[in-house]
Amino acid sequence: MRQEHFTNEPISFEHLPQVEAVSFQTIPKQYLNIVYINNALLTVILGMLLMLFTFFNEWIRAQMLVFGSVLFLFIGLLFWMSFIGYRKKGYAVREKDILFRHGIISTTTTIIPFNRIQHVAIHEGFFSRMYDLSELQIYTAGGSSSDLHIPGLPKEEAEQIKTYLLNQISSQTFKTPEIEFMEESIPEELVPDESSTTQEAASTDDETV
């Protein structure tokens, strides 16, 4: 029979670990250059589309100043949000989990325990390869909504984190929990007597015949 030890004591919130006390690693500045390059490409595409519509549409041509001002404000807001988003990004690897902080107006901190990780991969984009940066992709058991992507990591550091996470997953997969068992003796009065059992079986056979 399994012997279980169950406790459910209240926890003091003062002794819980504080996420604010975690020292987050910042994303390298080269990642911000990649973001600015992508924003610049988007700006060129939007500008070419505006010029194309202006060439074929007289009303848009008449409102060129308005559309140009809106496009200029959009580009400025896009670069500003990219800079704020870069400043808030950070990551940390602890003994039992990995954390990633991101956001623009508000800040979101995602914590992934090692026992929830199923697969770890590294992705290198075209511009990321130019700066020797990679994106660490962590896939969990909760599906795509709970997956974690950490961009802008140096390639060597991303490989080190990947190896460390895979080692942690392997060690937890092959670790079997210890279960305590206790033998329980059966009272003698509950043990059937073999002689009485034999006599009952013989009488049953006689009645059947």
Side-chain angles (χ1 to χ4, degrees):
M1 180 178 181
R2 187 189 307 179
Q3 184 180 9
E4 297 182 357
H5 302 280
F6 177 77
T7 59
N8 193 19
E9 298 294 333
I11 299 176
S12 175
F13 291 98
E14 297 178 355
H15 298 89
L16 291 177
Q18 301 295 325
V19 178
E20 293 79 3
V22 178
S23 178
F24 286 89
Q25 299 290 331
T26 58
I27 304 296
K29 292 183 179 180
Q30 291 84 351
Y31 172 73
L32 185 60
N33 296 335
I34 298 175
V35 176
Y36 284 164
I37 292 175
N38 292 327
N39 292 346
L41 292 177
L42 178 61
T43 301
V44 172
I45 294 175
L46 293 178
M48 291 179 63
L49 289 176
L50 180 60
M51 295 298 296
L52 184 63
F53 282 111
T54 302
F55 182 78
F56 290 101
N57 193 301
E58 295 183 0
W59 182 81
I60 296 180
R61 189 183 309 138
Q63 304 294 329
M64 182 64 181
L65 181 61
V66 176
F67 284 101
S69 301
V70 172
L71 180 61
F72 180 79
L73 291 176
F74 172 77
I75 295 171
L77 182 62
L78 180 63
F79 277 83
W80 177 79
M81 292 176 62
S82 299
F83 177 74
I84 297 300
Y86 163 76
R87 292 288 301 272
K88 288 193 175 184
K89 280 184 172 62
Y91 64 98
V93 181
R94 299 191 295 186
E95 295 180 356
K96 299 183 182 300
D97 51 31
I98 183 170
L99 298 84
F100 180 58
R101 182 187 62 195
H102 62 96
I104 297 177
I105 298 176
S106 61
T107 303
T108 302
T109 301
T110 305
I111 304 175
I112 303 295
F114 293 154
N115 57 4
R116 296 285 297 172
I117 299 176
Q118 290 186 334
H119 179 62
V120 183
I122 293 179
H123 173 73
E124 296 182 35
F126 177 76
F127 297 112
S128 299
R129 198 177 296 110
M130 294 173 54
Y131 290 93
D132 200 21
L133 299 179
S134 302
E135 180 183 74
L136 184 66
Q137 301 177 346
I138 301 175
Y139 300 93
T140 64
S144 59
S145 60
S146 60
D147 294 340
L148 182 63
H149 294 180
I150 304 179
L153 296 179
K155 185 177 180 180
E156 183 178 356
E157 185 174 350
E159 291 286 353
Q160 293 176 353
I161 297 177
K162 176 185 175 181
T163 302
Y164 176 76
L165 294 179
L166 293 178
N167 291 336
Q168 293 295 322
I169 296 173
S170 300
S171 61
Q172 293 183 9
T173 301
F174 294 100
K175 184 178 180 181
T176 56
E178 297 181 357
I179 302 176
E180 297 181 356
F181 292 92
M182 180 180 63
E183 294 183 356
E184 183 177 359
S185 58
I186 301 176
E188 295 182 356
E189 57 271 13
L190 298 181
V191 178
D193 189 3
E194 294 182 359
S195 59
S196 61
T197 304
T198 305
Q199 293 177 0
E200 291 179 359
S203 62
T204 302
D205 294 339
D206 294 340
E207 292 177 359
T208 303
V209 175

